[in-house]
Amino acid sequence: MKIIVTLLFITSFLFSNVYYSKVEPYEIRTIASNVSGKVLYTDDNMTGKKLTSKIFIKIDSELDEDELKAVEKKLSYQKNTLLLNEKILQNLRQLVEKKRENYQKIKHLKIKSSIEKDKEFYDLLNSENSFLATQKEINNLKTTIADLELRRKQLLKTIKDKNISAKNFVLYEISVKAGQTVGVSTPLAKIADTSKALLSVYLDKNDLKNVKKKVIYINGKETPYKVSRVSYIADTKNISKYKAQIIIDAQKVFSGLVKIEFKARNNEK
């Protein structure tokens, strides 16, 4: 009986290919600067630690913050002026309507002289011109407010880009020092997503067949993992090899070497 069980176990796997891979963070990102300025502060003590919303690199944003305050004041003034002009426009609209009614009433009256009729007409035109001038000013104010709103958004983004944080990522390294002047695209830091881990192996062409269906063993133990990504284009460095990646659970320690085996059951020929 024991012999039969052993034979069944042996024949349940057609082959077992062994590979080795380093346990890497799921992703390592480079944070590049979106702005220019002088680096005021770097928190090098956070290297290797999980980041919070706290700033770990700060670029000088004093002038941007001052301009933002000025822009917000201008916006407040312009919006108040717009409200006043809109009230004035409403009053002028009523005034024009009333003067137009009055003029319509007297323009055909024979008891009114031409001078009186002309006076009413010119008075109506002046009111209409005041209405149009106020409407024009309102349009100009709306344009100015739109420009200020855009500038406010730009400043907020610039200030945010000068205060670097990366919540829930691990700080891999900081690439700049306090006092250094950086420009757009200057690398500032590398951060790692350690919420998951990634194993990469380079397979021979023959190993690609049904690779996503194979059972994966890590360090001799069967796992529920499957191949997550596979490239069917040969790798540029590992010639005639095809890169496959396996996403696994987060690890306490990264960069360790693990043994990976792909095993296919006899119903997966």
Side-chain angles (χ1 to χ4, degrees):
M1 184 66 181
K2 287 183 179 179
I3 295 173
I4 294 172
V5 171
T6 303
L7 287 173
L8 285 173
F9 179 79
I10 293 171
T11 57
S12 66
F13 295 99
L14 292 179
F15 62 84
S16 171
N17 290 337
V18 178
Y19 297 90
Y20 290 88
S21 176
K22 190 165 65 170
V23 182
E24 299 282 10
Y26 178 68
E27 182 183 10
I28 295 179
R29 300 181 187 176
T30 296
I31 299 177
S33 180
N34 291 326
V35 294
S36 299
K38 182 179 179 180
V39 178
L40 297 181
Y41 166 78
T42 62
D43 190 353
D44 297 279
N45 292 328
M46 287 303 297
T47 302
K49 299 177 183 176
K50 196 166 190 177
L51 296 165
T52 64
S53 55
K54 182 182 175 183
I55 295 163
F56 66 92
I57 298 177
K58 181 171 180 59
I59 299 171
D60 186 14
S61 59
E62 183 178 359
L63 290 178
D64 303 294
E65 290 167 5
D66 289 343
E67 186 182 352
L68 178 61
K69 290 176 183 177
V71 166
E72 288 177 337
K73 282 184 180 179
K74 288 179 183 177
L75 268 172
S76 178
Y77 297 148
Q78 297 282 22
K79 287 179 178 180
N80 286 335
T81 303
L82 178 62
L83 289 175
L84 292 173
N85 278 343
E86 286 176 339
K87 289 179 180 178
I88 291 170
L89 189 69
Q90 183 61 31
N91 292 338
L92 285 170
R93 181 180 286 109
Q94 294 175 5
L95 181 62
V96 168
E97 290 173 358
K98 188 66 177 176
K99 288 190 175 183
R100 187 177 289 116
E101 288 176 9
N102 290 340
Y103 177 68
Q104 292 296 328
K105 287 177 183 178
I106 71 164
K107 72 176 182 177
H108 297 299
L109 291 177
K110 294 181 179 180
I111 60 172
K112 293 289 185 179
S113 66
S114 296
I115 295 175
E116 288 177 306
K117 291 177 182 179
D118 288 346
K119 183 177 180 300
E120 287 291 335
F121 178 68
Y122 294 140
D123 197 21
L124 172 60
L125 286 182
N126 286 333
S127 296
E128 287 180 339
N129 286 338
S130 294
F131 177 87
L132 293 173
T134 304
Q135 182 66 70
K136 181 180 178 181
E137 186 176 349
I138 285 174
N139 290 340
N140 289 336
L141 280 168
K142 287 181 177 179
T143 300
T144 301
I145 288 170
D147 290 341
L148 288 170
E149 290 282 10
L150 178 59
R151 183 57 185 156
R152 180 177 178 273
K153 288 180 180 179
Q154 290 171 338
L155 287 166
L156 285 171
K157 184 179 185 306
T158 298
I159 292 168
K160 181 182 178 182
D161 288 343
K162 289 185 174 183
N163 293 273
I164 312 300
S165 62
K167 187 177 180 180
N168 293 329
F169 284 83
V170 170
L171 181 57
Y172 189 75
E173 67 177 27
I174 294 179
S175 308
V176 293
K177 298 292 183 183
Q180 180 179 341
T181 299
V182 299
V184 177
S185 299
T186 300
L188 301 177
K190 285 185 179 180
I191 55 174
D193 179 356
T194 58
S195 61
K196 292 174 281 187
L198 194 65
L199 302 175
S200 298
V201 293
Y202 294 89
L203 306 175
D204 294 323
K205 186 177 180 179
N206 294 334
D207 296 336
L208 290 176
K209 185 179 178 181
N210 295 327
V211 70
K212 289 190 175 183
K213 295 181 179 180
K214 292 183 173 65
V215 180
I216 296 174
Y217 278 65
I218 296 177
N219 290 335
K221 294 182 180 179
E222 183 178 350
T223 73
Y225 304 126
K226 297 293 181 183
V227 170
S228 308
R229 309 165 185 163
V230 60
S231 174
Y232 293 95
I233 300 173
D235 190 68
T236 55
K237 293 182 179 179
N238 297 279
I239 300 172
S240 299
K241 298 286 186 178
Y242 298 83
K243 187 176 182 179
Q245 292 182 308
I246 306 160
I247 298 172
I248 65 174
D249 294 337
Q251 306 290 298
K252 290 183 178 180
V253 179
F254 286 82
S255 298
L257 198 65
V258 296
K259 182 176 76 172
I260 301 171
E261 295 172 89
F262 298 91
K263 297 184 181 182
R265 299 185 183 280
N266 56 5
N267 61 350
E268 296 174 359
K269 294 182 182 179

